Amino acid sequence: MKNILIIDDEEKLRGLLARIVKSEGFDVIEAGDLKSGFKKLEFNDIDVVLCDVKLPDGNGVDFLEKIKANFPLVEVILLTAFGKIADGVQAMKNGAFDYIVKGDDNDKIIPLLHKAIEKSQLQKKVKQLEKRISDKYSFDTIIGKSKALEQVIDLAKKVAKTDSTVLLTGETGTGKEVFAQAIHENSNRVGKSFVALNCSTFSKEILESELFGHKQGAFTGALKDKKGFIEEANGGTLFLDEIGEMPIDLQAKLLRVLETNEYIPVGDTSSKKSNFRLIAATNRDLKTESENHNFRSDLYFRLNIFEINIPPLRERIKDISPLTSYFVKQFSAKTNKAALQIAPDFLQKLESYHWPGNVRELKNIIERSVILADDVLTPAVLPYEIQHQQDNSNKTLSAFSMQSIEKLHIQKVLNYTKGNKAETARLLEIGIATLYRKLDEYNIQ
């Protein structure tokens, strides 16, 4: 049922209008003044307001601004006994769906209501879709409970509200694009475009065209003008994955865009502007690459305003259990299976595995395991290399191993600082995220 609120101080006219609107299948709520009308809006899901302009406690044109400020998805049609051009112009500026004269335009009310309802419903659907996208990529949906992951999420939350360039580093499959999406959805650019481009997917020529766009006839096969990802990202966020794979000469062009917000499409002679936020990701050590002249050092310093290193899964052992539970539930539903139980030895095998492919590899293995399993996930459904890996879970570190020395030293410094992790990291001359990973790795409490 679509809800229509009628605000009019003339009771007989309001009642007549209500009966006409109800006959069209709408649910009608009535109010005699602006104050009670606003209360109806607060406590009811209203789609369209039919509001008189002249009311005892105010003017409908001014009231329209208040409605739009508090209930932006509600459409408002203003009714007046005396049509004034100035009022009509101001009403439309304030966001009215339409402005009609009582008596003269009565036959327009029902068609207008249907159009206003259609617009209101469409806006609500768009809002719901945006919310689902936002919920999907919020920081709350990043699964894990390790201290290392919590540290990374905290850094990402802090930089999200700024417009700074972000460089996400880490091994393949650690979830860099998930973090990029979450940063965008929690930024001031939420609701604008999030455009992702993998720099390792294309040849130099195609990558240049994808990034900057091209003019018709710029090269063989360029049959029409094409927008580039930089233009598509205007007002929003551009995510360049595997930026370490970008050819050197394209790096120079990208650097110019970052410095001036201007770019020139392939085959064009005039520049265009684009205001976007850049988030880049790589599994390479760009500092070393720039020192070896494989990556432009000036671009590296421009990208490295705020670096976030996402640790590999083998350094986030505590995240494996919640990730496994999430993927099991996801793929059980996908394959129409009842919720599968997870055997303790199944989880133990996962936690002791090295995970060269990180979270992406874990996801693929869980999907395979769910397909093979009947009621319980056991080691028997895991790939051979995971089933038959050497079990080092109870292995005692050698007193002569580097790991043993490192563990002992961290413990000594932690004792010296009375458990102050920030001070411990400072004395050890390592990042706090690295310290948390080491505490997890060595099971230091």
Side-chain angles (χ1 to χ4, degrees):
M1 186 70 72
K2 308 301 183 290
N3 295 327
I4 311 298
L5 172 61
I6 300 175
I7 306 176
D8 198 317
D9 62 326
E10 296 182 42
E11 190 173 347
K12 288 184 179 179
L13 183 59
R14 188 176 73 238
L16 175 62
L17 189 55
R19 286 194 295 275
I20 294 171
V21 174
K22 283 179 182 177
S23 69
E24 291 293 317
F26 298 120
D27 193 9
V28 176
I29 298 169
E30 299 181 44
D33 54 42
L34 299 179
K35 184 178 179 181
S36 59
F38 193 78
K39 285 185 177 179
K40 301 287 186 184
L41 280 163
E42 288 182 311
F43 294 104
N44 296 275
D45 184 17
I46 303 297
D47 295 288
V48 179
V49 175
L50 282 170
C51 184
D52 192 11
V53 170
K54 298 294 182 182
L55 287 157
D57 56 344
N59 184 290
V61 177
D62 298 330
F63 184 59
L64 169 60
E65 271 194 297
K66 186 177 180 181
I67 293 177
K68 282 297 181 181
N70 292 275
F71 310 98
L73 302 183
V74 174
E75 293 301 323
V76 182
I77 299 172
L78 289 175
L79 307 171
T80 181
F82 308 99
K84 294 182 180 178
I85 293 175
D87 280 350
V89 170
Q90 190 59 47
M92 302 310 287
K93 283 184 177 179
N94 289 358
F97 185 80
D98 213 330
Y99 178 91
I100 60 178
V101 179
K102 293 178 183 178
D104 295 347
D105 296 328
N106 282 352
D107 57 334
K108 293 181 179 179
I109 291 176
I110 298 304
L112 273 176
L113 273 179
H114 282 287
K115 289 179 181 178
I117 284 285
E118 186 178 347
K119 182 181 178 184
S120 176
Q121 292 298 303
L122 179 60
Q123 288 180 139
K124 286 179 180 179
K125 286 179 181 177
V126 170
K127 199 72 177 177
Q128 289 168 357
L129 179 60
E130 288 176 348
K131 186 178 185 305
R132 283 202 296 270
I133 293 171
S134 179
D135 289 346
K136 181 179 178 182
Y137 293 108
S138 72
F139 287 115
D140 292 336
T141 60
I142 297 177
I143 299 165
K145 54 186 180 182
S146 67
K147 291 174 183 176
L149 185 65
E150 288 175 356
Q151 178 74 13
V152 171
I153 292 173
D154 185 54
L155 288 172
K157 283 180 177 179
K158 287 177 179 177
V159 77
K161 297 301 181 184
T162 73
D163 233 12
S164 298
T165 298
V166 180
L167 178 63
L168 299 171
T169 59
E171 296 178 7
T172 299
T174 50
K176 294 188 286 293
E177 185 163 357
V178 173
F179 270 89
Q181 283 271 16
I183 290 170
H184 171 73
E185 291 298 329
N186 287 271
S187 73
N188 296 326
R189 295 174 182 260
V190 61
K192 304 294 185 181
S193 299
F194 176 86
V195 184
L197 178 64
N198 190 314
C199 299
S200 67
T201 307
F202 306 101
S203 65
K204 172 193 169 295
E205 291 75 18
I206 296 177
L207 180 59
E208 183 176 15
S209 171
E210 291 293 321
L211 195 56
F212 299 99
H214 64 247
K215 294 289 287 182
Q216 180 181 352
F219 50 83
T220 304
L223 303 179
K224 59 181 181 180
D225 290 358
K226 180 182 181 299
K227 286 184 178 181
F229 278 58
I230 288 176
E231 184 174 356
E232 294 283 359
N234 187 27
T237 300
L238 175 64
F239 174 55
L240 294 181
D241 199 5
E242 303 301 349
I243 196 168
E245 309 297 326
M246 180 179 285
I248 290 285
D249 47 351
L250 284 189
Q251 292 177 26
K253 292 185 177 181
L254 176 62
L255 181 62
R256 182 179 182 276
V257 177
L258 296 177
E259 290 174 343
T260 65
N261 283 345
E262 293 185 353
Y263 68 99
I264 301 176
V266 178
D268 205 348
T269 54
S270 57
S271 64
K272 293 185 175 183
K273 281 188 170 289
S274 180
N275 175 16
F276 62 91
R277 187 215 191 134
L278 179 67
I279 301 177
T282 182
N283 58 10
R284 292 189 178 193
D285 182 347
L286 291 189
K287 185 174 186 296
T288 302
E289 292 290 304
S290 64
E291 290 170 352
N292 294 333
H293 307 292
N294 296 322
F295 195 86
R296 290 184 64 103
S297 58
D298 48 4
L299 178 58
Y300 166 66
F301 292 124
R302 184 65 180 75
L303 294 175
N304 197 35
I305 294 172
F306 198 96
E307 180 180 348
I308 299 176
N309 180 261
I310 304 173
L313 189 57
R314 62 183 172 275
E315 295 182 9
R316 297 158 38 198
I317 303 300
K318 289 182 180 179
D319 295 342
I320 292 175
S321 178
L323 281 167
T324 299
S325 298
Y326 173 78
F327 290 138
V328 167
K329 183 178 180 181
Q330 181 184 32
F331 292 119
S332 293
K334 187 177 178 180
T335 54
N336 297 315
K337 287 189 173 185
L340 297 171
Q341 293 183 346
I342 302 172
D345 51 350
F346 177 87
L347 190 60
Q348 186 274 320
K349 288 288 185 184
L350 296 180
E351 290 179 342
S352 58
Y353 183 57
H354 187 64
W355 296 112
N358 293 293
V359 178
R360 187 181 296 127
E361 183 184 11
L362 174 63
K363 180 180 179 180
N364 293 340
I365 284 173
I366 296 301
E367 182 174 13
R368 174 187 185 275
S369 300
V370 167
I371 293 170
L372 293 175
D374 294 322
D375 300 313
V376 181
L377 289 162
T378 66
V381 296
L382 289 169
Y384 180 86
E385 65 272 16
I386 299 181
Q387 285 188 50
H388 299 281
Q389 63 183 300
Q390 184 179 358
D391 185 5
N392 293 321
S393 58
N394 296 316
K395 182 179 177 182
T396 303
L397 290 174
S398 164
F400 300 102
S401 72
M402 286 298 294
Q403 285 181 311
S404 179
I405 295 169
E406 184 177 54
K407 178 180 179 180
L408 182 61
H409 185 58
I410 291 172
Q411 187 67 70
K412 282 182 178 179
V413 178
L414 199 60
N415 292 339
Y416 174 77
T417 62
K418 295 183 171 64
N420 186 323
K421 295 181 178 62
E423 179 64 10
T424 299
R426 188 188 70 79
L427 292 173
L428 290 170
E429 297 183 356
I430 60 175
I432 188 71
T434 302
L435 175 61
Y436 276 125
R437 291 201 297 272
K438 294 296 182 183
L439 295 179
D440 278 343
E441 182 181 348
Y442 297 133
N443 196 27
I444 298 174
Q445 300 301 321

